[in-house]
């Protein structure tokens, strides 16, 4: 990513998910938020997305810890790791956020409970679109450059 905006978006999303994951994993810094997360995942566990498919439902604690650790690892990847791993982290976080939206919908929560997941999903999707567009435009520039070089070479041959 060559411009400032996508880089800022990537860093902001990474830091956000590190913080959100930390809320789920440890009570050390924000004990009240951690307790809320514990209760929330007790509710979330009841509508685990793959229960109907597999007949298996994780323990609420393991579910919360897994989601938190995945958010932290993907957030760190967005902030610190260069290259294609950022895209993988982005996709994993997008899937998590879609799962969060589904969970709140299945629990018949109000829109204000779904809004953070929707907003994060849109930001993650936007990041992927920006990256894809910038990668696509770079390919177009490379193709144009190759065509220009071939045309210049052809002109030299004809002269």
């Amino acid at each position: 990513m060559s411009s400032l905006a996508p880089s800022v978006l990537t860093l902001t999303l990474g830091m956000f998910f590190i913080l959100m994951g930390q809320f789920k994993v440890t009570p050390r810094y924000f004990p009240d938020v951690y307790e809320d997360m514990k209760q929330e995942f007790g509710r979330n566990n009841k509508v685990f997305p793959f229960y109907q498919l597999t007949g298996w439902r994780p323990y609420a604690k393991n579910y919360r810890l897994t989601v938190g650790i995945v958010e932290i690892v993907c957030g760190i990847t967005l902030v610190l790791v260069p290259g294609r791993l950022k895209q993988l982290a982005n996709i994993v976080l997008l899937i998590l956020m879609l799962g969060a939206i589904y969970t709140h919908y299945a629990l018949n929560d109000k829109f204000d409970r779904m809004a953070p997941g929707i907003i994060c999903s849109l930001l993650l999707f936007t990041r992927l679109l920006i990256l894809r567009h910038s990668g696509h435009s770079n390919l177009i520039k490379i193709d144009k450059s190759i065509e220009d070089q071939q045309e210049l070479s052809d002109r030299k041959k004809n002269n």
Side-chain angles (χ1 to χ4, degrees):
M1 290 189 284
S2 60
S3 74
L4 181 62
S7 297
V8 170
L9 178 60
T10 299
L11 290 173
T12 303
L13 283 167
M15 296 302 289
F16 175 78
F17 279 105
I18 292 169
L19 182 64
M20 293 308 295
Q22 182 270 325
F23 288 157
K24 294 171 182 78
V25 172
T26 180
R28 185 173 184 178
Y29 303 108
F30 300 95
D32 294 342
V33 178
Y34 174 78
E35 289 302 319
D36 289 344
M37 289 293 174
K38 281 175 59 174
Q39 292 201 357
E40 187 67 24
F41 272 83
R43 287 182 57 226
N44 294 353
N45 191 30
K46 293 172 179 50
V47 293
F48 181 66
F50 302 110
Y51 177 71
Q52 291 180 350
L53 189 66
T54 65
W56 175 79
R57 178 180 288 140
Y59 292 112
K61 177 183 178 181
N62 295 342
Y63 190 18
R64 175 179 45 82
L65 289 174
T66 300
V67 169
I69 290 168
V70 168
E71 287 177 344
I72 291 169
V73 169
C74 289
I76 289 170
T77 301
L78 286 176
V79 171
L80 298 176
V81 178
R84 291 192 168 271
L85 283 179
K86 284 183 189 285
Q87 283 59 273
L88 179 60
N90 194 126
I91 291 167
V92 169
L93 288 170
L94 182 57
I95 291 168
L96 273 181
M97 289 300 96
L98 294 174
I101 294 166
Y102 164 80
T103 298
H104 288 297
Y105 177 79
L107 288 169
N108 294 317
D109 284 341
K110 293 183 180 179
F111 179 76
D112 64 332
R113 302 287 286 179
M114 283 186 241
I118 293 169
I119 292 167
C120 288
S121 296
L122 289 172
L123 289 171
L124 289 162
F125 186 69
T126 299
R127 185 189 172 280
L128 286 175
L129 284 178
I130 290 170
L131 185 72
R132 180 169 169 80
H133 176 70
S134 67
H136 182 60
S137 64
N138 287 342
L139 288 176
I140 291 171
K141 288 177 188 175
I142 291 169
D143 288 345
K144 180 73 173 145
S145 175
I146 291 171
E147 288 173 10
D148 291 345
Q149 287 176 356
Q150 288 174 344
E151 186 177 309
L152 185 61
S153 175
D154 290 345
R155 284 184 193 166
K156 286 181 182 179
K157 286 180 188 177
N158 291 336
N159 290 335

